């Protein structure tokens, strides 16, 4: 069960992001660099939230505290990377081969940095769990629940996708100075993170289903934001 | 599109000047070729060289004078654009090297067990007191540092007095050792770890082919990919040796000390590596091709003959005497620790090709990174992974890549050889210790409760 479970969980969590990376990012060096830069900024945000969690030791066992501040720091760093990218945009267009797409489609930068956030946050939350899943030992044999790994990787996948969507929505809202949408992003991030606090009671149906629904709705919203339409969606399946 | 136009113009203006290739200072020359219409902001250095160029290939020079000054901006943009590609061209091998090291550390116990130590590290940190450990580590790293400094100076002296044969022999012997003895040990441990039986004839046959092929590829010639693969393998092997044979704290101390030394050696006016670079440029030679990973070919002797197009054959093989390879001696490691400017590989510069945009894409400019950088990056990541925490490993990996990015950005700005270790290693060390002490407890408690942020 161990190796099979490991592979299944890994592909479940990182399969879609991996192919998003291969299909949309790997061909352009600039996008790879932005992805890694976004990952770096997420790391910085994690660092600061850990510091905060570490300093306020009376609340160290209350994860709610750490989670809420971590979300705030992450969104702050999303804002930081937004302002850096927008400022560097003119320079960036000089760097890339397909100049036109980067200028015309502002959402590419948003998407890439969002995916960078997502991949690194997913990796940080799952990679150690996955490493343990190879064995020796199996979850749920004596205590705990056997759903541990699969639920973790499902939520990780949701988070990676959510970060990507949030990236797109957030960047667009910042462009339009739409504070309502920015607040919505932060609030939905808070909501989803706080939902996962329920995982300790192992009520996975009550956490994964809402998270998946929020993920789908956010995805739809991001799709709309990026200028997608039902017609365009349909025509993307037509073979040309 | 403007960009395209710009570069085509550049190409035609400078494409024909084959005679330029006889000029000294190969690396600098590439600069000039790419900035033929550089306006006054060019450095004085480049300015003088440009005069040389105008003497030899006055024809092309005159063309480019007419090009408006925006041109130079376009060219700089191109420089940057290629910069982005170079970053990726280095990301891939650096990541590959780290992956090899991390995979080995995590599967083969041999490399994380401490039983033997290098001769250069006489203090083994066996005491349980922290202070003793600290001074042990400091002493060890200083001793190692002294060895490196002395060997570097020796190498520079040998190079200065043109003892090419000695250097060449030295490099061949050391790479032979790495490709035979160390590879054999590595293979033995891997086989043992995976419990795979193998008879000696097969092993000898395989090792012989591997070693001889490696020597041919590294010292003579072979497919570029194969050569790069061998260099990466050698760097990984060396990193594993360091991780295995250096005491715990010494490893971290050495990483810190060596990046400082790198800074001094490359940037100080009288720094040995700087002297090396300058001497090599004076002599119109590759700057120690023996010690450097390059993303393009460094020699062009064979391919040059196959068509009428003139190659920028920088040097013929017997001229520069040595080709790149790796050695386990410390001195070269220092020389390797240097990113070099993007440098001309074999690129065809026929006039008719220059008019096609595609010709531009085919043109190859390499970027060089010392193998020592590979080694110490891998040492850092490998050491971080040897404690079994993947978050730390990942953090170090991202930090090193970002450091490399910044170094290459600085390279594009300053256009001279820069030390590649300081920024990356500093980032790596900072992230390692912070992640280990602070982030890991936080993320562990998060993942225990299955809380996601």
């Amino acid at each position: 069960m161990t190796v099979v479970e490991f592979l299944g969980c890994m592909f479940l969590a990182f399969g879609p992001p991996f192919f998003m990376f291969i299909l949309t990012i790997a061909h352009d060096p600039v996008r790879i660099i932005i992805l890694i830069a976004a990952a770096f900024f997420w790391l910085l945000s994690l660092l600061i939230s850990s510091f905060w969690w570490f300093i306020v030791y009376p609340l160290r066992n209350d994860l709610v505290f750490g989670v809420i501040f971590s979300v705030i720091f992450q969104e702050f760093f999303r804002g930081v990377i937004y302002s850096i990218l927008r400022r560097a945009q003119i320079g960036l267009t000089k760097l890339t081969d397909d100049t036109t797409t980067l200028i015309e489609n502002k959402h590419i930068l948003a998407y890439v940095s969002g995916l960078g956030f997502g991949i690194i946050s997913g990796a940080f939350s799952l990679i150690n769990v996955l490493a343990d899943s190879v064995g020796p030992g199996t979850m749920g044999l004596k205590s705990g629940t056997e759903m541990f790994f699969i639920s973790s990787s499902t939520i990780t996948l949701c988070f990676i996708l959510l970060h990507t969507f949030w990236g797109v929505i957030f960047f667009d809202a910042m462009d339009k100075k739409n504070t309502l949408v920015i607040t919505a992003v932060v609030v939905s991030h808070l909501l989803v993170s706080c939902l996962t606090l329920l995982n300790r009671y192992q009520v996975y149906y009550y956490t994964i289903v809402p998270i998946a629904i929020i993920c789908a709705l956010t995805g739809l919203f991001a799709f709309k934001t990026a200028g997608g339409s039902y017609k365009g969606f349909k025509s993307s399946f037509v073979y040309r | 599109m403007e960009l395209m136009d710009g570069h085509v113009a550049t190409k035609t203006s400078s494409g024909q000047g084959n005679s330029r290739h006889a000029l000294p200072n190969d690396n600098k020359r590439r600069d000039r070729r790419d900035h033929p219409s550089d306006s006054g902001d060019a450095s004085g250095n480049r300015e003088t060289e440009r005069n040389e160029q105008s003497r030899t290939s006055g024809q092309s020079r005159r063309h480019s004078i007419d090009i408006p000054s925006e041109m130079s901006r376009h060219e700089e943009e191109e420089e940057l654009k290629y910069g982005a590609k170079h970053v990726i061209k280095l990301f891939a091998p650096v990541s590959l090297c780290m992956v090899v090291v991390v995979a080995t550390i995590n599967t083969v116990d041999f490399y994380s067990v401490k039983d033997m130590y290098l001769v250069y590290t006489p203090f083994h940190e066996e005491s349980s007191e922290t202070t003793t450990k600290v001074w042990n580590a400091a002493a060890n790293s200083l001793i190692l540092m002294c060895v490196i400094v002395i060997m570097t100076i020796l190498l520079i002296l040998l190079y200065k007095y043109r003892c090419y044969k000695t250097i060449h022999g030295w490099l061949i012997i050391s790479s032979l050792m790495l490709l035979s003895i160390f590879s054999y040990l590595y293979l033995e441990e891997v086989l043992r770890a995976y419990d795979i039986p193998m008879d000696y004839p097969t092993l000898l046959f395989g090792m012989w082919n591997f070693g001889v092929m490696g020597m041919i590829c590294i010292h003579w010639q072979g497919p570029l990919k194969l050569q790069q693969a061998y260099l990466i393998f050698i760097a990984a092997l060396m990193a594993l040796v360091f991780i295995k044979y250096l005491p715990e704290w010494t490893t971290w101390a050495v990483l810190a000390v060596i990046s400082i030394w790198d800074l001094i050696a490359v940037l100080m006016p009288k720094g040995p590596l700087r002297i090396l670079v300058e001497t090599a440029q004076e002599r119109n030679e590759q700057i120690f091709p023996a010690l450097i990973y390059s993303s393009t070919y460094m020699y062009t002797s064979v391919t040059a003959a196959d068509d009428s197009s003139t190659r920028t054959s920088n040097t013929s093989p017997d001229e520069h005497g040595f080709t790149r390879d790796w050695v386990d001696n410390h001195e070269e490691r220092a020389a390797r620790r240097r990113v070099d400017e993007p440098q001309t590989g074999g690129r065809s510069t026929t006039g008719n090709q220059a008019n096609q945009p595609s010709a531009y894409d085919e043109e190859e400019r390499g970027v060089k990174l010392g193998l020592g950088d590979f080694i110490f990056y891998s040492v850092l990541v490998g050491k971080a992974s040897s404690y079994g925490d993947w978050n730390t490993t990942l953090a170090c990996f991202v930090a090193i890549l970002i450091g490399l990015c910044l170094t290459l950005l600085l390279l594009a700005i300053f256009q001279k050889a820069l030390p590649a270790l300081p920024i990356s290693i500093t980032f790596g060390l900072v992230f390692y210790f912070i992640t280990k002490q602070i982030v890991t407890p936080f993320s562990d408690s998060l993942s225990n409760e299955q809380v996601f942020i």
Side-chain angles (χ1 to χ4, degrees), chain A residues 47 128 151-152 199-200 204, chain B residues 81 389-390 434 449-450:
Chain A
L47 234 152
N128 274 328
S151 58
S152 284
N199 274 337
R200 79 175 74 169
Y204 293 126
Chain B
K81 183 157 92 184
D389 181 24
W390 287 95
I434 294 180
E449 306 259 320
Q450 282 189 297

Side-chain angles (χ1 to χ4, degrees), chain A residues 9-164:
Chain A
C9 288
M10 185 176 70
F11 291 138
L12 175 61
F14 296 115
F18 177 72
F19 274 93
M20 281 154 83
F21 173 79
I22 291 291
L23 293 177
T24 57
I25 292 177
H27 62 87
D28 187 358
V30 175
R31 293 187 200 179
I32 300 179
I33 295 172
I34 293 174
L35 186 89
I36 294 175
F40 184 71
F41 276 98
W42 189 87
L43 270 185
L44 284 181
S45 80
L46 179 71
L47 234 152
I48 291 179
S49 15
S50 308
F51 257 127
W52 187 239
W53 173 83
F54 200 75
I55 292 167
V56 191
Y57 67 88
L59 292 174
R60 217 177 271 177
N61 290 324
D62 268 335
L63 276 177
V64 193
F65 170 77
V67 165
I68 287 173
F69 273 95
S70 170
V71 168
I72 290 169
F73 286 129
Q74 284 179 60
E75 294 303 328
F76 171 73
F77 270 93
R78 207 194 292 280
V80 170
I81 200 169
Y82 165 83
S83 62
I84 289 175
L85 281 182
R86 283 290 176 258
R87 227 166 267 174
Q89 192 162 29
I90 302 155
L92 282 176
T93 49
K94 289 172 192 162
L95 288 178
T96 179
D97 275 333
D98 45 350
T99 325
T100 43
T101 45
L102 261 189
I103 293 177
E104 280 167 12
N105 197 345
K106 286 179 174 178
H107 302 294
I108 290 177
L109 282 182
Y111 163 79
V112 173
S113 59
L115 190 61
F117 261 59
I119 287 177
I120 193 76
S121 90
F124 255 74
S125 35
L126 197 66
I127 198 165
N128 274 328
V129 176
L130 272 184
D132 288 341
S133 77
V134 194
T138 307
M139 206 53 190
L141 209 58
K142 281 193 172 157
S143 67
T145 164
E146 56 189 300
M147 294 279 283
F148 184 85
F149 291 123
I150 194 156
S151 58
S152 284
S153 27
T154 315
I155 299 174
T156 305
L157 174 64
C158 285
F159 263 79
I160 296 175
L161 294 176
L162 273 171
H163 268 291
T164 316

